[in-house]
Amino acid sequence: MPTNLPPEYFEADKRYRAAQSTADKITCLEELMGTIPKHKGTDKLRAGYRKRLAKLKAAANAKKRPGRQESVYHIDREGAGQVVLVGAPNVGKSALVAALTNAKPEVSESPYSTWEPTPGMMPLGNIQIQLIDTPPLNRDFVEPQLLDLIRRSDLLLLVVDLQTDPLGQLEDCVAFLREHGIVARGAAAVPTEERHWTFVSILVVVNKYDDQESDDLLDVFLALLEGEWALLPVSATTGRNLERLKAVVFEQLNIIRVYSKPPGRKPDLGAPFVLPKGSTVEDLTPKVHKDFLENLKAARVWGSGSFDGQMVGRDHVLADGDVVELRI
Ligand SMILES: Nc1nc2c(ncn2[C@@H]2O[C@H](COP(=O)(O)OP(=O)(O)OP(=O)(O)O)[C@@H](O)[C@H]2O)c(=O)[nH]1
Ligand SMILES: [Mg+2]
């Protein structure tokens, strides 16, 4: 037990112990957690309470909806991709989600400030990408549902702090994920042990690359870094490279935007269909209308992969930005 806990802690602790119902316990526990000063000496204590709180919330949700286990980690997919930010404490995950989306997660100087995942939508031209802020990775307390969220993600942003041993943080996170069977898609070293591996796309985001003074730090980090990583230095605080980050996230998601138009009309360029890279006219058609595929006679395409208005077959591979006219 850390020695420097304030008197309010002990009072809140009494109330928490006396609480009877799950709802009261949650309220009292949240209050109790609010009294604990955030510093290294209380990390374990706070991690323990977080775990208890997660259990209580799961129990409360299970009661509300019998037969269905609800969890804060079950976040409905929205937009063109689900992107999860992970990393060591205090690297700026919440600051990045706050800078890039409509969400307002708590950003704080002290580590372990995020307890629950928080989704937000990041506008990217005429589409939106879902970014999810998460609690820091922590070997003392591993939330299995966080691991599942990572496994299900379309892209992982592994955030490191350029100003605080980014190499150590990256190696630590990679080792942590590997211990849980999660490895980077296309990782140079193919996993050898016999177990079930989940491959996820990873983009290393090197945060706190505030201004030109950080350039030397980046050079040192890059010189020491081993292996091939998709990587981008950014700053949540000064905004450096954040527009570039959006573009790189789009690239890493491996998606294309295509527009459909009825014959003789203009396409709605504000409302693209989002498809995986490599998708064909046949993949697009049922998204435009569920009955179209059966009756599809031909298609015309305007865009980079074809000459304007070119007649194409069902298996024509579409490119980002294509306009497609389906002929029924
Ligand atoms: N200089 C600088 N500071 C930053 C930047 N991004 C975040 N910070 C600061 O770093 C601290 C931690 O930021 P958070 O966003 O709370 O970090 P986090 O990764 O969400 O932390 P946990 O939730 O504890 O895991 C805060 O004091 C931020 O103001 C940045 O780009 N540059
Ligand atoms: Mg945070």
Side-chain angles (χ1 to χ4, degrees):
M1 174 73 51
T3 47
N4 53 354
L5 292 166
E8 306 90 74
Y9 167 83
F10 295 97
E11 285 175 17
D13 184 51
K14 257 188 229 155
R15 282 195 293 278
Y16 168 60
R17 283 168 199 274
Q20 296 288 324
S21 69
T22 308
D24 280 351
K25 280 185 195 162
I26 291 175
T27 314
C28 291
L29 185 53
E30 281 178 333
E31 195 194 337
L32 176 63
M33 288 161 90
T35 65
I36 308 175
K38 291 177 185 171
H39 56 70
K40 197 115 200 78
T42 60
D43 284 355
K44 280 222 166 95
L45 184 68
R46 283 180 292 133
Y49 282 134
R50 271 207 308 279
K51 189 174 180 177
R52 240 186 264 176
L53 184 64
K55 276 197 182 152
L56 283 171
K57 286 196 170 169
N61 275 323
K63 263 190 217 155
K64 257 190 248 157
R65 295 166 212 240
R68 217 175 120 204
Q69 279 274 333
E70 279 289 322
S71 153
V72 289
Y73 282 90
H74 278 185
I75 296 171
D76 287 338
R77 272 167 189 274
E78 277 182 56
Q82 191 172 64
V83 177
V84 177
L85 287 86
V86 295
N90 232 26
V91 294
K93 301 177 291 299
S94 301
L96 283 166
V97 170
L100 292 164
T101 75
N102 56 342
K104 295 187 173 51
E106 184 193 347
V107 174
S108 152
E109 277 172 35
S110 51
Y112 295 96
S113 45
T114 302
W115 296 349
E116 288 185 347
T118 309
M121 297 308 288
M122 172 172 84
L124 206 169
N126 52 9
I127 59 170
Q128 303 244 357
I129 311 270
Q130 185 179 45
L131 298 191
I132 303 180
D133 182 25
T134 65
L137 298 180
N138 176 0
R139 282 205 163 73
D140 293 333
F141 171 55
V142 184
E143 173 60 77
Q145 288 169 332
L146 171 59
L147 296 169
D148 285 340
L149 183 69
I150 293 172
R151 292 191 185 100
R152 286 193 305 268
S153 68
D154 298 316
L155 173 67
L156 203 60
L157 301 190
L158 204 166
V159 186
V160 296
D161 176 347
L162 180 60
Q163 308 190 7
T164 319
D165 187 17
L167 190 64
Q169 288 176 350
L170 176 62
E171 286 173 350
D172 227 36
C173 290
V174 170
F176 174 93
L177 292 172
R178 202 187 158 87
E179 284 158 29
H180 295 283
I182 301 166
V183 281
R185 203 183 298 284
V190 175
T192 47
E193 306 100 281
E194 277 199 22
R195 61 182 290 188
H196 180 74
W197 294 98
T198 307
F199 294 88
V200 293
S201 300
I202 297 183
L203 170 67
V204 178
V205 175
V206 187
N207 191 34
K208 309 199 185 179
Y209 177 60
D210 295 348
D211 46 39
Q212 282 169 1
E213 281 173 31
S214 341
D215 288 357
D216 291 347
L217 283 175
L218 182 68
D219 289 343
V220 174
F221 171 54
L222 292 180
L224 295 172
L225 183 64
E226 286 179 6
E228 300 261 314
W229 290 101
L231 178 147
L232 188 73
V234 303
S235 169
T237 304
T238 65
R240 198 177 184 199
N241 266 354
L242 287 189
E243 280 307 310
R244 179 90 194 104
L245 176 61
K246 291 185 182 187
V248 176
V249 164
F250 180 77
E251 272 165 35
Q252 294 284 323
L253 281 171
N254 270 312
I255 51 180
I256 54 167
R257 292 154 298 184
V258 294
Y259 309 85
S260 86
K261 76 177 210 51
R265 300 245 300 275
K266 289 208 158 104
D268 179 357
L269 293 177
F273 291 90
V274 177
L275 299 164
K277 231 181 220 170
S279 293
T280 60
V281 169
E282 189 167 282
D283 298 322
L284 167 70
T285 308
K287 293 200 161 221
V288 179
H289 192 289
K290 65 178 171 36
D291 300 332
F292 277 11
L293 191 55
E294 239 172 273
N295 305 316
L296 181 68
K297 297 209 173 56
R300 295 178 71 192
V301 176
W302 289 255
S304 62
S306 44
F307 56 83
D308 275 355
Q310 185 181 347
M311 286 290 233
V312 297
R314 288 174 170 233
D315 54 2
H316 175 79
V317 176
L318 297 167
D320 185 43
D322 277 355
V323 173
V324 184
E325 181 180 282
L326 298 174
R327 302 222 162 167
I328 310 300

